[in-house]
């Protein structure tokens, strides 16, 4: 006994001497080990005993520590010895756990489970007499960790030069990645091994209205796969980016090691911190099953519950828009032929109309007629307000006032008209990146929205950010998006932000920030085109932290319909567009095409009219990033299910197993399928619609065309 | 006759061929010649036939011309061929003139004369099919010129890399100069020849809360003197800096040539321009008499009249302040011992008071008692609002909310108390340079002022500007100050801005922006000390574009009165402090010392109580920059005159000639003079006060001590 005791003691001592600590997930499958090596913090991650992440370093380099009296506030020299990256000893550790359910206001399920074991390690840096806390939460779907900086005598204000959180993978892996950038997430996803990224990186992006590329870096969320034996899917992302810049990942492609790379401000500093403060959570979701990655709610679980007092105004929204016709070039946002206008000075009624202004009373009424007749909640109208003549490419600060309509847009009449038909209008605030200007006008802009009962606004950030030198994902701009969300909440307004930062689960804390674009959406089909596998990848990447306003639903995929000889086309079949409403979750969904195209395919349009956008339950039936996704969801508060499946550039067969349905009940499934001869290039509009009675025992074989899909609405038999 | 005609014709042709044009001042003494040499614009300036400014180049270099589609909006390459600096031909010229009087709302005279001849030259740049206008205005006191960029097909948006307006002086000159900087004007003025500036420049500045020095550059307004034969005083400055950065001057010290050097933004660009646009006016005031430079109103004349609808709330203000006691270190702005507070989160009532918070109810009431008893209009109180614990040196964006008082400051009670005694309180908005934060809170802050009837606010910009990377004199920040002035006008509030840009005559257009600090003021006596000649220079430099809140009136000049052993002292005699109220014009004047010091010298204090701050007339009796200034002014609407004289580190005698008084009338002069043994170091508080009957024929010999002065109030004999 004595020997055992002594060795146990030695083990304990050894463990303590090694400053090492272990954490396990609730089901015991994941293990995280924390360790200090020569005063430098490391962690690793194992799944079922196999290494997911090798020993990886943590730490931050600082620009400055402590008060500055009379001197420039940014020093460019390294602060060796003054960084938060070494010289640590572990002085405390605290275990905790939580197992709760919480109900998102809108979501993929009625209720999310938040179940984790937590380890908080206090690290003291003796040389500077200060400490930080590393907090690890291990879920059944993976790991989240963050830095915490408690308020204390010797840590009050500091500026981050760079965060150096590493994720050191043991092997090469298949990766679905975007070129790293401080301003844009709109590149095509690349599919290569990690080792191939440097070679591919230079051709992995195209031009953008605002871009600042980071060589050999990639964006988050990042999707990875270890193929073969011990197959494992790994997703790397971040949660709760608040008062901190968003992070890209630098890659060492020979070591398969990633490191955080924060977005700088105009001066190159990466974060201005006042304690108590925390970093975002760095998240590593892992599973042998791709479906479980898609099903993971870790990123939302790591965000704090909301403190909003009233969330009753936050509602799911299905909308149409005066938008696609401008995107394809059929009409314009601008009203006049001028190219140089002064908000508040130019008399727009005296300008020469260009005859192509889409947001005019007649056109908008037609959209309202159609959208209301088909039960849509709202109509977005872009180009309603003065300023579009020179809105882009000039770094123009006072670019819009967000409150003055063009002469041919009667804001009162159109809102009354929409309301009389049971619909609302959706506001549009394109900021042109001029965030300071938007903040100046936000109160007046939101007051106007309240006056005319606009429940939601689509915002845009096309172009470089003003304050000039800040980036779309800099700390200042992150805080700008949050200020706008909070102010919108004061006015009971929902926000859908385009070209903003990608969501990092913030919809839990800021539930009126209901969606964002922040990736390459449907509009790019009219710009460069989206790869056929694009939509089979995005849910594994962009969607992990929150919904995307992907704006699907294009029926007229070939644009030569409008412009003879035009080679542009949406690279999917019509039916795949229907499936996107199920496969890509958002509480805000657009039927993006022109009414006339829906009118020509009212039978297919019925699916879009029927499909829910808010869910009691979600089943990821089958998924492989870059190849296919098959999803079934139950509409919130209804006995209805919607099933959707999509494929990449390959045809595919898939048998839908309806075992998700309640047992012993009959349902009528309306199936929207690619025609037998459908093809996204050659015959995109070939589809068939048929009904079938199904029960939980039913199986339905589906044939998907190249870049095709299927969509099924399942309702109780009457 | 034929020969004369032909030669006249040749002259004309030659003149036109040389693209040359002449302009004369109304009195014919100044002559400006404009010329294109090989397509490059030049001007020169002569006074009485002698060269004041040699042929000097004009032009601008651009960063970008025209629209950018998908690309970075700032190119770092030169835009040779695309600049607005060469390739010009003169296509039009237009002469004009004006002779008007206008009444400043508050000023040194009831009425200013604006009399000039103008030449506007249209220059076409054929290669780029665009044109600009150079506008010259020649006054009897000198030249102003600016660039105009009319709206036109090929000039809509452009970004300035640098403005290259040269001022090429013919000889070395004596110069009173500040080291060039993008953020601070608080350096000691240096007095050297131009040729000596490079050698002196490295030691010409001290540390500052926010500074960005420009090597070998100097600031404007700049005072120069050509000594000896054809003595000439020259002042170089700018007028109407609106939507444009402020300019320093680069010096070529061998050529005696200055060139504009604009303040950059965070990215290095110098101005974002949308036509129609204009540059500020570059001003060159010149006279054989220093007094006439001081008397010049050119900079104000070059500003546009105001468009404010109601200016009745704009009034002269004499105030005291809870301020100097913090500046000298006797008390603090902050309330508590904390060093890390969170506005909106920290409960200040739970913090430990530091026992040194000056802005507490008891102390403020005592100031109100004293100031109201002595007829002051207002009491400034700094440190009244939460946030001072960590306000400085942290680049903290949300540093103040401008609306929440400290627990020991009862804003309602104190305002009621002041009002009951016929006084108002003066608001204080220290922004800490966080301009974005100030704009966010400005409406609420001004609403609070209206609620408690604060007529004016002192603003401050101590520390680096946020948006980070912008400078105090960048275009963005210039526009910020103007936005604040305009918003304050909506609330009928007067603004006195500290650490802002120096005024450039903008009080004509924005009359509620009544004063600024924007130079080394009295507070520096407690920091590094001001040179004894400092106040004899500032009116020739800082004051040329507008009033300065110099905050004079320190009676207790030696600070060892408070802190035994303290060597700091205000480097003037007590009486010189009185003279400053006359010599340094401002419609807002502070009696800056503590009440107890005035109480000990109520006889001297009487001058401050009596002196006007708004004037019907001003006579600069005698002045030499760096040596002495003697000024007489008539109070607005009263039959009272005030005379003040100051000297530098030398004793000086001066005989005041009262011929400015109306003839045939008797006045009682109360004379405040340095005592016979007075000396700013050894005996600063030695003074004598006596009365004398004077008429327009009187002459009064005054003896000024070292860094001394005299002050005389002249009222009708009762």
């Amino acid at each position: 006994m004595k020997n055992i005791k002594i060795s146990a003691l030695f083990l304990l001592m050894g463990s303590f001497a090694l400053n090492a600590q272990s954490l396990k997930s609730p089901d015991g499958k994941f293990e995280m080990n924390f360790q200090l090596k020569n005063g430098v913090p490391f962690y690793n991650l194992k799944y079922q005993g196999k290494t997911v992440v090798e020993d990886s370093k943590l730490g931050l380099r600082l620009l400055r520590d402590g008060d500055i009296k009379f001197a420039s506030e940014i020093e460019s020299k390294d602060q060796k010895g003054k960084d938060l990256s070494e010289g640590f000893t572990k002085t405390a550790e605290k275990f905790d756990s939580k197992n709760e359910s919480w109900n998102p206001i809108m979501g993929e399920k009625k209720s999310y489970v938040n179940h984790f074991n937590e380890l908080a390690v206090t690290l003291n840096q003796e040389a500077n007499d200060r400490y930080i806390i590393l907090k690890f939460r291990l879920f059944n779907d993976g790991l989240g960790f963050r830095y915490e900086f408690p308020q204390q005598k010797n840590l009050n204000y500091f500026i981050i030069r760079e965060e150096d959180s590493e994720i050191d993978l043991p092997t090469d892996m298949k990766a679905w990645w975007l070129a790293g950038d401080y301003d844009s997430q709109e590149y095509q996803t690349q599919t290569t091994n990690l080792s191939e990224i440097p070679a591919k990186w230079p051709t992995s992006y195209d031009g953008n209205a605002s871009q600042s590329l980071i060589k050999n870096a990639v964006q988050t969320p990042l999707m990875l796969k270890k193929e073969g034996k011990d197959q494992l899917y790994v997703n790397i992302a971040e949660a709760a980016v608040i008062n901190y810049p968003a992070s890209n990942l630098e890659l060492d492609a020979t070591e398969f090691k990633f490191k955080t790379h924060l977005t700088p401000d105009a001066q190159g500093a990466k974060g201005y911190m006042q304690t108590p403060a925390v970093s975002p959570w760095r998240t590593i979701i892992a599973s042998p099953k791709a479906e479980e990655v898609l099903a993971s709610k870790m990123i939302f679980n790591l965000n704090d519950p909301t403190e909003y007092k009233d969330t009753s105004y936050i509602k799911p929204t299905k909308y149409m828009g005066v938008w696609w016709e401008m995107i394809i070039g059929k009409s314009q946002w601008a009203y006049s032929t001028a190219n140089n206008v002064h908000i508040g000075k130019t008399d727009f009624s005296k300008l020469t109309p260009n005859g192509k202004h889409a947001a005019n009373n007649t056109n908008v009424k037609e959209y309202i007629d159609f959208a209301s007749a088909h039960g849509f909640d709202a109509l977005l109208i872009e180009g309603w307000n003065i300023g579009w003549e020179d809105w882009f490419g000039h770094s123009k600060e006072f670019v819009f006032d967000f409150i003055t309509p063009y002469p041919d847009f009667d804001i009162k009449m159109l809102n009354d008209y929409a309301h009389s038909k049971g619909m609302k209008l959706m506001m549009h605030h394109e900021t042109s990146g001029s965030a300071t200007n938007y903040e100046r006008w936000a109160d007046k802009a939101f007051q106007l929205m309240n006056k005319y009962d606009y429940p939601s606004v689509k915002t845009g950030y096309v172009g470089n950010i003003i304050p000039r030198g800040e980036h779309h994902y800099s700390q200042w701009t992150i805080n700008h998006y949050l200020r706008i969300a909070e102010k919108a909440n004061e006015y009971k307004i929902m926000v859908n932000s385009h070209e903003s930062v990608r969501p990092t689960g913030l919809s839990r804390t800021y539930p009126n920030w209901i969606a964002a674009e922040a990736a390459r959406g449907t509009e790019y089909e009219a710009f460069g085109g989206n790869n056929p596998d694009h939509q089979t990848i995005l849910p594994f990447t962009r969607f992990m932290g929150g919904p995307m306003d992907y704006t699907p639903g294009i029926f007229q995929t070939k644009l030569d319909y409008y412009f003879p000889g035009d080679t542009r086309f949406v690279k999917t079949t019509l039916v795949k567009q229907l499936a996107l409403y199920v496969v890509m979750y958002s509480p805000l969904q657009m039927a993006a095409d022109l009414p006339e195209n829906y009118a020509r395919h009212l039978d297919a349009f019925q699916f879009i009219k029927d499909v829910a956008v808010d869910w009691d339950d979600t089943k990821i039936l089958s998924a492989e990033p870059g190849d296919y996704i098959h999803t079934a969801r139950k509409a919130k508060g209804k006995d209805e299910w919607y099933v959707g499946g999509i494929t990449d550039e390959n045809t595919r067969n898939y048998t839908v197993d309806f075992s998700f349905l309640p047992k012993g009940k009959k349902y009528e499934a309306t199936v929207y399928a690619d025609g037998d001869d459908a093809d996204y290039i050659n015959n995109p509009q070939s589809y068939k619609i048929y009904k079938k009675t199904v029960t939980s025992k039913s199986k339905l074989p589906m044939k998907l065309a190249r870049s095709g899909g299927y969509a099924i609405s399942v309702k109780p038999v009457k």
Side-chain angles (χ1 to χ4, degrees), chain A:
Chain A
M1 284 304 284
K2 210 169 169 186
N3 288 343
I4 292 166
K5 276 197 204 157
I6 288 170
S7 37
L9 184 62
F10 272 121
L11 267 173
L12 258 173
M13 286 169 62
S15 160
F16 201 84
L18 284 173
N19 280 307
Q21 200 48 259
S22 253
L23 181 68
K24 283 202 150 73
S25 58
D27 63 5
K29 291 185 184 176
F30 278 102
E31 181 183 309
M32 188 287 295
N33 294 293
F34 170 78
Q35 196 184 38
L36 282 172
K37 301 190 205 182
N38 294 322
V40 177
F42 284 80
Y43 76 100
N44 66 37
L45 185 65
K46 294 186 195 323
Y47 178 76
Q48 306 268 60
K50 302 282 198 298
T51 298
V52 179
V53 177
E54 296 181 326
D55 281 353
S56 300
K57 224 176 3 173
L58 297 173
L60 299 97
R61 279 171 289 151
L62 305 187
L63 270 171
R64 175 172 68 78
D65 191 32
D67 292 351
I68 293 291
K69 303 295 175 206
F70 291 106
S72 170
E73 286 177 25
I74 304 289
E75 295 167 38
S76 53
K77 312 191 288 299
D78 270 314
Q79 292 264 338
K80 200 108 181 69
K82 285 267 178 189
D83 292 328
L84 284 168
S85 43
E86 53 185 3
F88 289 113
T89 50
K90 177 162 65 91
T91 55
E93 69 214 12
K94 186 167 173 296
F95 287 90
D96 201 353
S97 62
K98 188 172 221 158
N99 190 358
E100 62 164 7
S101 288
W102 61 278
N103 295 354
I105 292 161
M106 300 180 294
E108 298 182 72
K109 296 188 176 198
K110 186 169 178 180
S111 176
Y112 294 158
V113 170
N114 181 18
H115 190 191
F116 60 83
N117 289 327
E118 177 181 291
L119 167 62
V121 180
T122 304
L123 300 179
N124 188 58
Q125 194 181 45
E126 195 184 322
N128 298 310
D129 189 22
R130 62 190 181 185
Y131 65 97
I132 64 173
I133 293 172
L134 289 175
K135 188 166 278 179
F136 300 89
R137 283 189 184 165
L138 206 41
F139 302 76
N140 289 342
D141 43 2
L143 172 69
F145 66 86
R146 74 175 182 190
Y147 303 81
E148 300 187 352
F149 311 98
Q151 187 165 343
Q152 59 191 278
K153 177 158 156 282
N154 290 328
L155 196 64
N156 290 293
Y157 284 89
F158 61 99
I159 303 172
I160 298 174
R161 170 194 283 277
E162 184 65 277
E163 181 188 322
D164 299 315
S165 303
E166 297 182 355
I167 301 172
D168 195 351
L169 301 158
T171 61
D172 207 355
M173 294 177 84
K174 188 173 181 183
W176 293 266
W177 55 276
L178 296 180
D181 198 290
Y182 299 139
D183 282 288
S184 173
Q185 295 148 130
E186 291 181 341
Y187 306 126
Q188 297 261 38
T189 305
Q190 310 296 314
T191 308
T192 73
N193 286 338
L194 294 176
S195 54
E196 299 166 322
I197 288 180
K200 186 77 175 106
W201 196 91
T203 56
S204 68
Y205 56 90
D206 42 11
N208 194 283
S210 179
Q211 62 188 156
S212 309
L213 289 143
I214 314 152
K215 195 167 175 209
N216 288 340
V218 301
Q219 304 207 19
T220 62
L222 171 71
M223 190 64 192
L224 304 169
K225 180 183 182 186
K226 177 179 176 301
E227 303 194 277
K229 184 168 167 298
D230 301 321
Q231 169 179 284
L232 196 70
Y233 295 88
V234 177
N235 183 284
I236 300 174
E238 45 183 355
V241 177
I242 297 174
N243 193 22
Y244 204 89
S247 182
N248 282 261
L249 296 171
E250 291 176 14
L251 170 65
D252 178 336
T254 48
E255 295 291 320
F256 316 122
K257 180 159 65 175
F258 286 106
K259 190 189 79 66
T260 46
H261 178 118
L262 303 181
T263 306
D265 77 350
Q267 300 184 290
K270 301 225 172 181
Y272 293 80
M273 307 295 285
Q274 177 189 0
T275 62
V278 297
S279 74
W281 295 90
R282 283 72 189 77
T283 59
I284 305 167
I285 294 166
S287 173
K289 294 186 179 178
E291 295 82 7
E292 284 179 6
V293 172
L294 282 190
S296 172
K297 292 291 165 273
M298 187 201 295
I299 292 173
F300 303 94
N301 283 331
L302 286 165
N303 278 262
D304 288 337
T306 186
E307 290 179 7
Y308 285 5
K309 303 218 170 2
D310 172 21
T311 58
S312 61
Y313 67 93
I314 301 169
K315 300 189 168 86
T317 306
K318 233 193 282 182
Y319 71 105
M320 293 186 67
V322 179
W323 173 74
W324 183 243
E325 57 170 285
M326 294 97 94
I327 290 286
I328 62 180
K330 192 165 172 285
S331 55
Q332 292 191 20
W333 285 266
Y335 163 77
S336 79
T337 56
N339 68 344
N340 178 338
V341 295
H342 298 258
I343 308 292
K345 290 184 187 153
T346 300
D347 183 347
F348 282 82
S349 69
K350 294 201 160 64
L351 298 178
T352 308
N354 58 26
K356 289 183 158 274
H357 180 225
N360 65 72
N361 291 328
T362 306
N363 196 31
V364 171
K365 282 175 78 176
E366 287 176 13
Y367 273 83
I368 291 172
D369 288 339
F370 186 90
S372 61
H374 292 281
F376 283 83
D377 301 308
L379 179 74
L380 165 73
I381 304 142
E382 297 201 1
W384 69 275
N385 56 325
I386 60 171
W388 287 93
E389 281 76 4
D390 58 2
W391 70 288
F392 175 72
H394 301 300
S395 196
K396 183 181 185 185
E397 185 165 7
F398 186 14
V399 61
F400 291 109
D401 69 6
F402 310 99
I403 59 172
T404 308
Y406 274 124
D408 58 351
F409 185 90
D410 185 334
I411 191 170
K412 180 179 186 346
M413 180 277 288
L414 290 169
N415 273 283
D416 287 344
Y417 190 74
H419 300 165
S420 75
K421 302 204 160 220
M423 253 184 60
K424 301 281 170 71
L425 296 186
M426 182 182 289
M427 179 48 77
H428 184 230
H429 291 163
E430 175 55 59
T431 72
S432 202
S434 184
T436 44
N437 180 59
Y438 187 35
E439 284 191 40
R440 245 167 250 141
W441 287 93
D443 278 293
K444 287 199 163 77
F446 291 155
Q447 284 156 17
L448 185 76
M449 286 180 66
N450 282 176
K451 177 175 177 183
Y452 292 112
D453 198 15
Y454 283 81
S456 63
V457 58
K458 168 181 171 179
T459 63
Y461 292 86
V462 177
N464 289 338
I465 295 293
I466 300 176
R468 298 185 181 97
E470 295 286 353
H471 295 284
H472 284 70
Y473 319 138
S474 301
Q475 178 188 34
W476 191 94
T477 320
I478 297 291
N479 288 342
H480 163 77
Y481 304 131
L482 294 171
R483 283 193 290 270
I484 292 297
E486 287 175 315
K487 186 181 280 289
N489 176 51
E490 290 171 27
Y491 291 88
K492 301 196 191 305
I493 283 166
M494 297 181 280
V495 178
N496 164 29
S497 58
H498 280 226
E499 298 88 27
S500 66
V501 70
R502 53 206 165 261
T504 54
L506 290 169
S507 56
R508 187 177 185 193
T509 319
Y510 301 87
N512 67 324
W513 191 359
I514 60 175
E517 181 202 47
R520 195 180 180 95
T522 294
E523 69 189 6
Y524 263 86
E525 301 280 18
F527 302 161
N530 294 340
N531 295 330
D533 68 352
H534 184 58
Q535 304 89 357
T536 70
I537 299 171
L538 278 190
F540 288 98
T541 54
R542 164 61 182 77
F543 281 77
M544 291 300 292
M548 177 182 174
D549 186 30
Y550 187 75
T551 70
I554 302 301
F555 281 11
Q556 183 51 54
T557 57
K558 299 276 180 110
L559 301 192
D560 59 4
Y561 175 82
Y562 310 101
F563 313 109
D566 195 327
T567 57
R568 297 176 296 163
F569 68 106
V570 177
K571 295 183 173 56
T572 76
T573 63
L574 186 152
V575 167
K576 186 179 182 185
Q577 291 288 313
L578 302 179
L580 295 180
Y581 289 91
V582 184
V583 167
M584 292 179 144
Y585 165 67
S586 175
L588 172 90
Q589 290 277 20
M590 186 180 190
D593 211 337
L594 315 184
E596 63 187 78
N597 297 322
Y598 295 131
R600 291 188 288 117
H601 302 281
L602 284 175
D603 51 355
F605 191 47
Q606 189 60 43
F607 182 81
I608 298 179
K609 291 170 64 172
D610 287 345
V611 73
V613 298
D614 193 19
W615 311 100
D616 271 341
D617 198 8
T618 294
K619 311 281 189 201
I620 312 296
L621 304 175
S622 182
E624 177 64 23
D627 291 354
Y628 54 84
I629 302 179
H630 305 272
T631 307
R633 305 189 195 261
K634 178 186 179 299
K636 185 172 269 178
K638 293 186 186 169
D639 193 12
E640 293 175 11
W641 287 79
Y642 293 84
V643 190
I646 60 172
T647 181
D648 61 357
E649 68 277 8
N650 300 301
T651 62
R652 227 173 273 276
N653 296 330
Y654 180 74
T655 299
V656 178
D657 182 331
F658 285 86
S659 55
F660 53 79
L661 290 174
K663 291 182 176 18
K665 198 164 175 190
K666 280 196 184 157
Y667 290 85
E668 179 181 78
T670 307
V671 181
Y672 304 75
D674 288 325
D676 294 330
D677 59 347
D679 183 82
Y680 77 107
I681 297 178
N682 301 318
N683 203 0
Q685 288 182 332
S686 166
Y687 61 89
K688 51 191 178 186
I689 303 174
Y690 56 92
K691 292 188 191 297
K692 222 172 148 61
T693 304
V694 295
T695 70
S696 66
K697 296 189 171 159
S698 303
K699 296 192 204 301
L700 191 57
M702 304 302 309
K703 285 172 73 78
L704 290 74
R706 296 200 305 163
S707 198
Y710 60 87
I712 310 173
S713 62
V714 185
K715 305 184 186 188
V717 166
K718 289 189 188 12

